[in-house]
Amino acid sequence: MARRGDTIELAVLGLLHEGPMHGYELRKRLNLMLGWGRVLSYGSLYPALKKMLRANLITEAAATTTPANRRPRIVYEVTPAGNEHFQRLMSEVGPTAWEDDNFDIRFAFFSSTDMEIRLRVLEGRRSRLQERLARVQGELERTQAEVNRYAAELQRHGVESVEREVRWLSDLIQAERGGDEPPAPRTAGTT
């Protein structure tokens, strides 16, 4: 998948897979899904929607009006071709499935994914993070004496973040293999 546009496409198809939505609702749900670090503007959403309309992945349903301004809102629905495309994207298990840009979106729609595919994606993500962790730990050891304490703290924070995600992924993989439900979310301050 080619970066941001394809990530938006996957997210839109996943949300519309759940039911029809208008642009404002899509943007709001996408921003919740993408998180504060990747806020989606209308300038990114509407070109993606237009492209998906041209590709017959989605269609415009009957417009609804809002009482406040009587301006019609276009409601988007996923087409059968869009459903097939979504399923195809969700069944991909190559490196793009576990990259930072795509993993969160794919994970949000894991309930639409076969367990074997989920496991392969989780294991791939964990492997990628373990490689990153080894590299960052090596850099931390080499640069510890060369950097100021704030830069060292930032590096340490990065290591702890990756270690935490590796533990989380290991818990998810164990739950998948055991047929258990994923672990309960941890609250702030717990490990």
Side-chain angles (χ1 to χ4, degrees):
M1 287 173 63
R3 300 290 170 236
R4 187 162 174 92
D6 290 335
T7 301
I8 293 170
E9 182 177 291
L10 176 63
V12 167
L13 288 173
L15 288 173
L16 293 179
H17 189 74
E18 298 171 1
M21 289 182 212
H22 54 78
Y24 173 78
E25 185 177 3
L26 271 170
R27 180 176 176 261
K28 186 170 87 174
R29 297 267 314 269
L30 285 168
N31 281 332
L32 285 172
M33 186 182 300
L34 294 170
W36 66 270
R38 298 189 289 177
V39 174
L40 181 69
S41 69
Y42 289 114
S44 298
L45 175 61
Y46 283 104
L49 291 172
K50 297 287 186 213
K51 178 182 169 201
M52 294 169 71
L53 283 165
R54 285 191 304 273
N56 194 34
L57 299 175
I58 61 173
T59 186
E60 292 178 351
T64 60
T65 58
T66 58
N69 63 9
R70 304 250 188 262
R71 182 174 170 211
R73 286 188 174 168
I74 299 169
V75 175
Y76 298 94
E77 294 179 325
V78 67
T79 64
N83 276 324
E84 287 178 29
H85 187 62
F86 175 70
Q87 294 303 326
R88 191 170 39 256
L89 291 173
M90 290 300 291
S91 67
E92 291 177 358
V93 293
T96 58
W98 50 75
E99 287 179 1
D100 292 345
D101 291 346
N102 293 323
F103 177 76
D104 296 348
I105 299 300
R106 291 178 60 93
F107 187 80
F109 300 115
F110 257 18
S111 63
S112 303
T113 308
D114 179 70
M115 183 184 75
E116 285 301 315
I117 292 171
R118 288 193 309 260
L119 272 171
R120 288 176 63 190
V121 170
L122 290 170
E123 289 168 345
R125 175 73 176 170
R126 181 177 63 181
S127 176
R128 176 68 48 95
L129 289 174
Q130 287 170 328
E131 291 168 7
R132 185 184 301 168
L133 183 60
R135 187 177 62 248
V136 170
Q137 286 173 328
E139 290 170 7
L140 183 61
E141 290 172 10
R142 282 191 302 277
T143 62
Q144 196 76 34
E146 300 171 11
V147 297
N148 67 48
R149 73 180 185 126
Y150 297 105
E153 276 301 305
L154 186 59
Q155 287 178 330
R156 189 182 62 74
H157 172 70
V159 167
E160 289 173 358
S161 296
V162 174
E163 287 172 338
R164 189 172 34 255
E165 187 170 350
V166 167
R167 280 192 307 272
W168 174 70
L169 289 165
S170 294
D171 289 348
L172 289 170
I173 291 167
Q174 183 178 356
E176 284 287 334
R177 287 199 175 119
D180 301 332
E181 286 294 312
R186 297 177 179 161
T187 57
T190 62
T191 54

